[in-house]
Amino acid sequence: MAMADGSRVIAIEEHYFDPELAALFAGRDRRTPPPIRERLLDLGAERLADMDAAGIDLQVLSHGAPSLQKLDGEAALRMARLVNDRLHETVRANSERFQGFAALPTADPAAAAAELERCVSRLGFKGAMVHGLTGGTAFLDEKRFWPIFERAAALDVPLYIHPSIPSEAVVQAYYRDYIEDFPGLLTAGWGFTVETATAGIRIVLSGVLDAYPGLRIILGHLGEGLPFLLVRIDEALSRNRSRLASFRDAFCEHFYITTSGNFSDTALLCSVMEMGADRIVFSVDYPFVDNAAGTAWMERIPLGYEDRQKILHGNAERLLGL
C-alpha cells in the first residue's frame, strides 16, 4: 500500500547479498541470522512484495557489509566487476523499482576510482558504498585513498560510508566483556556507530573536503550520532588554532544523513535543527529493519508536509539524480 497521502518513497540504504561475494565472508562477518540472510539474497518477488506492502517505490541497492573492504587488491577488483555487473542486470531488469550503489575494491585505490567511474558512466549507478575499514585497519581518509574521493567529486556522485564490524583490536579493547551476552553491542548497538562516526570526523579533519569542494558524503543511522555532537566537537576543535575554520560548517556543507534503522522523533528533530531537512534522506536499512516500520514512522513524524516530502523522496532525487 502507498503512503496515506500518496507520497513517492525512495529508500537509499537497502542491502542485498551477492552469493559469490557473501560466500567469502569469514569469522564474525559470516554470522548473519538465517532469516535476514535469506532476504539479503532475494532480489525478486518477495522483496518487491515487501516494498509494495510498506509503500516503498524505489530502493537504492547496496551490498551488505563488509562487501569488498576485506579482500586484497586483485581479488577485490575481480569480484567488484562481477558483483557490480550482476547488480546492474538486476537494476536494468526493473529500473523503476531498483537503482544501485557500486561496491568498490578499496584495497587498490586507483582501481576503485576506475571502477566507480565504470559503474557510474557505463552502468548508471548513483554513487558507491564503502563498508568500514579497508583490510580491517585503514580509514578511508588516508591520502592513498584520495583518488576515490577525487573521482566521486568529478563524477558528481556521493560516497556512502557504512559501518562494518570493528577491527579485532577494538573489539578486544572495548567490547569483549559484553559481546557474548549482548552481541548487538558490537554492531548496531554501539560498535558500528563509534567506527563510522570516527570515519566521518576523520574525513572532515583530513582536508579532503577542501581538496574536492564538490564532494558529498552520506552517513546512515541519522549521522551515527554526529548531529547531536556537532556543537561540542566544533567547540573542542576550535580551542587550538588549526586550518579547519569550522568542523560544524564543513560537516553540514558536505554530509547528508539517512534515517536508516533510527526511527526516533527526537533524533530526527535534532538532526533537522542542526543540518536542515534538505540534508536528510529516507532509508530503512532493509532487511535488518522492516520496511513497514520505516514508512509507518514517516506517516507520523512531527514535521510539516514540505519537509516530509524532502525526506521521503525530494532529497534523494536531487542528491542521486533520480
Side-chain angles (χ1 to χ4, degrees), residues 50-61:
D50 204 350
M51 291 167 61
D52 290 341
I56 292 175
D57 297 287
L58 177 71
Q59 284 188 344
V60 181
L61 299 170

Side-chain angles (χ1 to χ4, degrees), residues 11-322:
I12 77 163
E13 191 195 311
E14 318 311 319
H15 301 298
Y16 79 102
F17 270 176
D18 180 280
E20 187 176 357
L21 176 53
L24 301 178
F25 296 168
R28 299 182 196 277
D29 294 321
R30 289 188 64 89
R31 298 175 189 175
T32 306
I36 292 177
R37 185 179 181 86
E38 289 174 11
R39 290 196 285 174
L40 284 163
L41 292 167
D42 169 49
L43 288 170
E46 290 187 16
R47 180 178 289 252
L48 288 166
D50 204 350
M51 291 167 61
D52 290 341
I56 292 175
D57 297 287
L58 177 71
Q59 284 188 344
V60 181
L61 299 170
S62 52
H63 202 282
S67 191
L68 300 168
Q69 271 54 75
K70 292 186 179 178
L71 299 184
D72 65 29
E74 184 177 344
L77 178 57
R78 181 186 68 82
M79 189 58 65
R81 290 170 176 160
L82 293 171
V83 167
N84 290 325
D85 284 348
R86 286 192 283 256
L87 178 58
H88 172 59
E89 291 302 315
T90 295
V91 170
R92 188 169 65 172
N94 197 352
S95 60
E96 291 187 358
R97 306 305 303 275
F98 297 133
Q99 292 294 324
F101 282 135
L104 299 182
T106 50
D108 183 337
E115 179 65 7
L116 176 60
E117 178 150 8
R118 185 183 80 92
C119 287
V120 172
S121 300
R122 294 179 55 189
L123 306 185
F125 285 6
K126 303 306 178 183
M129 180 175 285
V130 175
H131 296 264
L133 310 186
T134 295
T137 60
F139 281 99
L140 203 63
D141 61 277
E142 292 185 13
K143 276 222 167 177
R144 62 189 169 111
F145 297 116
W146 282 27
I148 301 170
F149 293 110
E150 180 182 22
R151 196 66 55 91
L155 293 166
D156 194 26
V157 295
L159 292 176
Y160 202 129
I161 308 300
H162 186 275
S164 186
I165 291 175
S167 70
E168 193 59 29
V170 172
V171 171
Q172 293 303 314
Y174 284 20
Y175 306 120
R176 65 178 178 181
D177 295 329
Y178 293 101
I179 57 175
E180 183 175 345
D181 290 335
F182 304 100
L185 182 69
L186 191 60
T187 57
W190 191 240
F192 281 176
T193 297
V194 171
E195 180 187 84
T196 313
T198 301
I201 291 170
R202 289 175 60 110
I203 286 171
V204 177
L205 301 184
S206 70
V208 73
L209 303 178
D210 296 322
Y212 311 112
L215 185 62
R216 294 167 296 165
I217 305 294
I218 307 173
L219 294 179
H221 319 114
L222 286 176
E224 308 293 354
L226 287 176
F228 181 83
L229 296 166
L230 285 180
V231 171
R232 178 166 172 78
I233 294 170
D234 199 57
E235 191 279 329
L237 296 178
S238 68
R239 293 174 193 171
N240 300 305
R241 291 187 179 183
S242 73
R243 54 182 166 67
L244 183 65
S246 169
F247 179 92
R248 186 184 185 191
D249 289 350
F251 186 88
C252 291
E253 179 181 350
H254 292 275
F255 281 71
Y256 288 78
I257 66 174
T258 79
T259 64
S260 56
N262 193 355
F263 307 146
S264 162
D265 289 6
T266 50
L268 176 66
L269 292 175
C270 168
S271 300
V272 170
M273 292 176 72
E274 277 296 315
M275 302 183 69
D278 289 341
R279 292 279 165 170
I280 302 171
V281 182
F282 179 68
S283 300
V284 173
D285 204 359
Y286 181 87
F288 301 96
V289 180
D290 289 336
N291 285 327
T295 52
W297 175 61
M298 288 300 299
E299 294 272 18
R300 61 171 181 77
I301 58 171
L303 292 176
Y305 177 81
E306 183 177 342
D307 285 345
R308 188 191 310 265
Q309 296 305 305
K310 290 177 181 179
I311 295 169
L312 281 173
H313 65 92
N315 295 337
E317 291 164 348
R318 175 170 50 88
L319 176 62
L320 305 182
L322 295 170

